[in-house]
Amino acid sequence: MIQPTPAASELPALPGDTRVAFEVEDIIVVVFYFAFVLAVGIWSSIRASRGTIGGYFLAGRSMTWWPIGASLMSSNVGSGLFIGLAGTGAAGGLAVGGFEWNATWALLALGWIFVPVYIAAGVVTMPEYLQKRFGGQRIQIYMSVLSLILYIFTKISTDIFSGALFIQISLGWNLYLSTVVLLAVTAVYTIAGGLTAVIYTDALQTLIMVLGALVLMFIGFEKVGWYEGLQEKYSTAVPKIIVPNTTCHLPRADAFHLFRDPVTGDIPWPGLIFGLSVLALWCWCTDQVIVQRSLSAKNLSHAKGGSVLGGYLKIFPMFFIVMPGMISRALYPDEVGCVDPDICRRVCGAAVGCSNIAYPKLVIELMPNGLRGLMIAVMMAALMSSLTSIFNSSSTLFVIDIWQRIRRQASEQELMIVGRVFILILVVISILWIPIIQSANSGKLFDYIQSITSYLAPPITALFILAIFCKRINESGAFWGLMVGLAVGLVRMIIEFIYSTPSCGEEDRRPAVLKDLHYLYFALILCVLTAIVIVLISLCTPPIPEEKLACLTWWTRHRKATAIDLKNYKSEAAQINPANEQNDLVESADSGNKEQAAAKPPCWKMLYLWFCGLSTGPTPTLSQEERAVLERRLTSIEEKPLWKTVCNVNAVLLLTINVFLWAYFG
């Protein structure tokens, strides 16, 4: 059945056999780097206001444009993206880089369309926005639960899997040991630091990650003879041992084109432009992890500046992640490009293919001593960074949207502690999930992430677009639209898990809805379907009164809200509105206990209070006027004309570059 190509018939060596021992320089670099990161985290958490919900979760609304831009990039470019993008690049060529370039449009939509509405509405989480916009409880609870499911299935689990794969290939540690150590360090600095620690360390890690990846890119390009050499070597990168009478060992003929055949392409061009935009809008404009970054901006101009910088940074992954993935296949076709199930199982433990090891393989083989240590430290840091953002955002969602429903009278102290306990629970779930990902190790990690997202996220995209632009949409339409969308998406997702992808030479027995309907097409269809259901049901039910929509849609964002709020919102508004976030409610005791509270607590208690971000001194209270001024400042979307123009010019420039790149590589 299996026949060697004429060259030679010896088996490719296992990654374990070619393991490069970690040099002393590498170990010193890793230790030094992690000590440095922890120091930055602790320093920024001492500076930041962590004792309030607004401080812990939104970095005190004080961030400037450049850390926001860097953080938008790095909370998205985790080690999952390095392994997934490079792996799909190794398997199928450039087209997957279009996923990164598509994000530019979504980032600008975030800064210019979505954030102004969110700031004017004065919200902390996305479900909270929907609650203000539609009233009622059920949409908000649905959104919180769905977001948490998506985080566990797509983000947390794949990041941990890819980080563990990286450590395993580079250091040969046990998968579980490395994961547990990593999660422990991550959890300590998320819990102790809140979002400020995350944003400061993010900015630093993005810088080192990008520089390290650029160094590796140049070393790799030099090895293959630059872009022309890559085109030549990639198209002949065939493993020695192939499965006869099949073509899966051959690199794709259209590997160097972004736009591929709409029917037979692995990433069809209409899907890449339209279907992917649905996923990009979900990811960049309605997803808590990303939006939370922009909402921590000082003012709207800083949020827009952050979007533009993020958009510029998203141009680069094509060059320093996707192309090195292709270089890795050109240099190591036997390991990265293996097709025979037995050999693939030997190389990386997965029968369907080993494209996932493309990036780690390149780092281990090509990076010089010292730099190799730095690169691995940074990949681990990238993993920590994206996990930290997700842990932080998940605990925000859980505390504000779920816990406050169960415990109406919860004190701020209780909310801060519950948020931290919830992070610990997430860590445990994540560790238990590792074996499942190891076995569900479909050939391409990136495709796994995107396809799961395209079954669950499109209804949310449809809802947010309609909520912001269409005043006629009401709660019934929104809720039933989401339900129909979820049902259709789940059916496709379950079918996907029942029928696995065939390995090379096997007959494809999957039903036509899987085989012939690409997941990007499915995302587009699902989004349109949900939108139609939402509009139809909204038209059949009474509209929301105009005066209740002040500040909540694009058309009413400058209108100031009156005292009326949608039903059921009164009780929450008392706890969740921006004024209260700033007004620290850590009342450790009622008026009778004031004197005891004023006495200095013992040392162990001080340490515990600091770790949980609870203030040790008496809490300041705001007068009615101060509170009104603060609320006006927090919900203001005014911009200075000069900075508004600067942001607009930069955005146009960014779009021009983006269109040029699409055309050039198309």
Side-chain angles (χ1 to χ4, degrees), residues 10 22 76 156 162 167 181 206 221-222 225 234 262 325 344 351 412-414 428 430 459 489 505 507 516 570 586 598:
E10 77 274 8
F22 233 30
N76 186 256
I156 300 182
S162 47
I167 301 184
V181 169
T206 308
F221 268 125
E222 196 187 30
Y234 181 83
C344 289
E412 184 128 353
Q413 183 162 7
E414 178 184 326
V428 173
S430 316
E507 192 189 340
D516 305 331
K570 272 277 162 31
V586 187

Side-chain angles (χ1 to χ4, degrees), residues 6 74 96 104 137 174 176 229 234 250 257 262 267 320 365 399 460 487 497 500-501 504 558 565 626 651:
S74 61
V96 72
T104 303
Q137 306 284 321
N174 171 316
Y176 293 98
Y234 181 83
L250 296 173
H257 298 288
I267 301 178
F320 67 69
E365 300 284 347
V399 166
I460 302 176
F497 279 133
S500 57
T501 321
C504 191
H558 293 297
D565 231 333
E626 286 173 320

